[in-house]
Amino acid sequence: MRRVVMKFGGTSVGLAANFAGAQALVRARETRDERPPVVVVSALTGVTNLLVEYAAAPSRRDALAARIAERHASFADEVGVDAGCLTALLAEWREACASHADAGALSPAERDRVLAFGERFAAALFAAGLRDRGTRAAAVVAGDAGLVTDERFGAAHPLPESAAAMARALGGRTDVAVVTGFLGRTLDGRTTTLGRGGSDYSAALVGAAIGADEIQIWTDTSGLLSTDPRIVPEARPVPELSFAEASELAYFGAKVLHPKTLLPAMERGIPVRILNTARPDDAGSRITATAEPGRDAWCVKSIACKKGVTAVTIASTRMLLAYGFLARVFEVFGRHHLVVDLVTTSEVSISVTLDDPSRLDAALADLEGIGRVEVRRGLAVVAVVGEGAPSRIGLPGHVFTLLGGVGIGIEMISQGASRVNLSFVVRDEDADKAVRLLHRGLGLDAEVAPSSTSGAAG
Ligand code: ADP
Ligand code: ASP
Ligand code: MG
């Protein structure tokens, strides 16, 4: 291959047991490929959560500040990297902490500056580790690599010019750039973050910008699995997925990929692989524009589940045969920046699910002007995903019979709009049971023939 992007998540860079393995994977590519890989790293596992707590909780700030500094210094020690690589950053961290001594909860901009320390520490450690082992490498903050964004702190969007800027900054490098995931920078130089789990998205943005041959997401599972392994420990890797399948799964809760990750890859047609740092010879999952359909009778590849969902139903008898009703409802959601996931309509009502209902209260008065509004919280969306699966004759019937058999009620169904996704809404407390039941009932527990694909490191 000519060049790859390798993204290492928090458990890959941030567990001492995996650090050396990750470094070996980078060195192997560096010696084999035409151009050195670009590496993207997340914060050490758990560090972003500590930083989030630091930003929110003035009362515990001193203890957290010390704990974060100590965590990185002792990690350097544990993995045998000279802690000198952290000196300047630790000084900057202490200075930032001193400036927060009398502050309450931090502003969104200052919070992003604080969260950024996690990825900056990780990049410094990873680059130093590579240098110690004789590989030319440097830590690069995403803003310096050209990743410019808008000013939506906490959920920033890359600006269109960032692709060319990243290509200029990273394209011609002959050393290994270890770029901070998760971070961007506004045009006037302030640090932004792309949303939790956003390092996957960073890797895809970098890969698309430099025209990489492959974007590799190195994590703690051997690929994108047939469902969340925290719900079904026997879940198996899905060898091949299409961009559409993987996007739906990421969007509906497969945490292994940030939902936006596949967009840049899809635009440039770059394959994405999900691989296990601790088991680099496992084939993992390969995500491309076209993929083999699922092997089971239903063509289902994986089941995702997103909890904490809110449903809103707006009913109006005046709507019967009236035009403009849906437009009015969506205008209200748009104006209040409410993102709608699933939609079902009947002649006199519309129901939608919202992933983030934090702005719902402000929208309610406007919605009540259109019709009678009912809000149901504590729901979950379950998404059964596979190219062609929703149109398999009998699949919906099979799914709902299985769930009905154990008394799980379906609150909403969305089918037909997507050729890859049959999704429905259940109560939060039924979600895990529904996923377990369907995983077994759709044959995803069954042994599949081992893939002949060779491992990524091979
Ligand atoms: P990283 O730190 O490498 O970014 P994450 O914790 O963000 O890793 O994502 C990996 C985790 O995602 C897995 O350990 C697993 O618990 C969870 N997960 C949820 N759904 C899936 C799925 N379908 N396939 C693989 N992992 C999943
Ligand atoms: N460290 C960030 C987070 O925990 C980004 C990432 O892990 O991708 O959200
Ligand atoms: Mg992640």
Side-chain angles (χ1 to χ4, degrees):
M1 258 199 258
R2 284 181 304 116
R3 179 168 239 186
V4 300
V5 171
M6 308 175 84
K7 178 260 172 175
F8 292 96
T11 53
S12 300
V13 278
L15 288 181
N18 291 335
F19 187 84
Q23 302 246 309
L25 289 163
V26 173
R27 288 200 315 282
R29 291 242 70 116
E30 199 255 344
T31 50
R32 189 171 6 145
D33 290 352
E34 218 169 280
R35 311 288 304 276
V38 177
V39 172
V40 173
V41 289
S42 300
L44 311 193
T45 180
V47 165
T48 307
N49 288 345
L50 292 176
L51 290 163
V52 165
E53 202 185 334
Y54 172 97
S59 60
R60 299 199 46 223
R61 232 169 238 163
D62 287 349
L64 286 164
R67 188 159 154 210
I68 289 160
E70 160 56 23
R71 170 77 186 277
H72 292 94
S74 60
F75 189 80
D77 207 33
E78 212 179 333
V79 296
V81 168
D82 182 353
C85 70
L86 297 175
T87 310
L89 258 178
L90 281 170
E92 199 187 322
W93 170 242
R94 290 196 181 100
E95 213 175 293
C97 294
S99 77
H100 301 142
D102 302 316
L106 303 182
S107 69
E110 187 58 13
R111 181 178 183 271
D112 274 2
R113 187 170 84 95
V114 162
L115 297 193
F117 276 97
E119 270 66 16
R120 293 174 67 199
F121 279 126
L125 285 162
F126 204 83
L130 287 170
R131 285 194 301 271
D132 285 354
R133 292 165 175 87
T135 300
R136 288 194 306 122
V140 182
V141 178
D144 290 336
L147 210 172
V148 280
T149 71
D150 62 13
E151 301 189 355
R152 288 185 52 189
F153 296 99
H157 290 294
L159 297 176
E161 57 263 45
S162 67
M166 281 194 278
R168 274 195 305 279
L170 299 171
R173 285 184 81 120
T174 55
D175 63 344
V176 176
V178 181
V179 181
T180 56
F182 185 47
L183 311 183
R185 182 181 289 166
T186 61
L187 287 173
D188 64 3
R190 288 172 297 159
T191 301
T192 52
T193 61
L194 307 179
R196 292 303 306 268
S199 298
D200 304 323
Y201 186 33
S202 308
L205 290 167
V206 168
I210 66 168
D213 299 289
E214 188 168 277
I215 296 160
Q216 300 181 341
I217 307 290
W218 291 90
T219 185
D220 61 353
T221 60
S222 291
L224 195 150
L225 306 182
S226 51
T227 193
D228 188 332
R230 292 165 298 183
I231 303 177
V232 180
E234 315 73 63
R236 295 162 184 285
V238 182
E240 280 190 35
L241 296 111
S242 66
F243 286 130
E245 289 170 331
S247 298
E248 294 282 339
L249 289 164
Y251 188 76
F252 286 109
K255 184 185 173 228
V256 66
L257 277 182
H258 184 274
K260 290 185 191 159
T261 310
L262 296 161
L263 293 173
M266 215 169 348
E267 270 166 27
R268 299 283 308 257
I270 303 172
V272 174
R273 291 187 73 183
I274 305 182
L275 296 153
N276 190 339
T277 308
R279 299 175 55 102
D281 292 328
D282 286 358
S285 296
R286 187 173 152 85
I287 306 167
T288 54
T290 52
E292 290 285 310
R295 295 184 201 171
D296 70 312
W298 303 110
C299 294
V300 171
K301 290 189 180 171
S302 181
I303 303 168
C305 168
K306 179 151 103 174
K307 294 181 184 152
V309 166
T310 297
V312 183
T313 300
I314 302 111
S316 165
T317 42
R318 281 179 288 131
M319 168 193 179
L320 199 64
L321 300 178
Y323 53 84
F325 173 82
L326 293 181
R328 284 180 66 197
V329 170
F330 282 104
E331 187 277 324
V332 173
F333 286 130
R335 189 152 35 83
H336 290 276
H337 300 281
L338 284 161
V339 178
V340 169
D341 286 346
L342 299 192
V343 182
T344 60
T345 55
S346 77
E347 233 169 342
V348 290
S349 72
I350 171 170
S351 297
V352 303
T353 60
L354 305 171
D355 147 52
D356 173 11
S358 56
R359 294 195 181 86
L360 177 60
D361 287 349
L364 282 180
D366 291 346
L367 291 173
E368 275 154 5
I370 305 176
R372 190 163 42 77
V373 181
E374 187 200 345
V375 177
R376 279 168 300 154
R377 299 180 195 270
L379 301 175
V381 177
V382 176
V384 175
V385 174
E387 293 272 358
S391 56
R392 298 302 281 192
I393 293 170
L395 177 73
H398 185 48
V399 165
F400 299 126
T401 306
L402 283 171
L403 297 174
V406 294
I408 296 178
I410 312 288
E411 308 272 329
M412 261 172 85
I413 301 172
S414 165
Q415 193 210 351
S418 157
R419 62 174 203 287
V420 299
N421 184 0
L422 167 67
S423 33
F424 54 91
V425 176
V426 294
R427 290 203 312 268
D428 244 349
E429 62 264 33
D430 288 335
D432 287 3
K433 191 169 164 195
V435 168
R436 278 193 286 268
L437 188 71
L438 293 179
H439 194 263
R440 199 170 335 111
L442 295 172
L444 295 173
D445 274 350
E447 191 82 49
V448 283
S451 162
S452 56
T453 324
S454 62

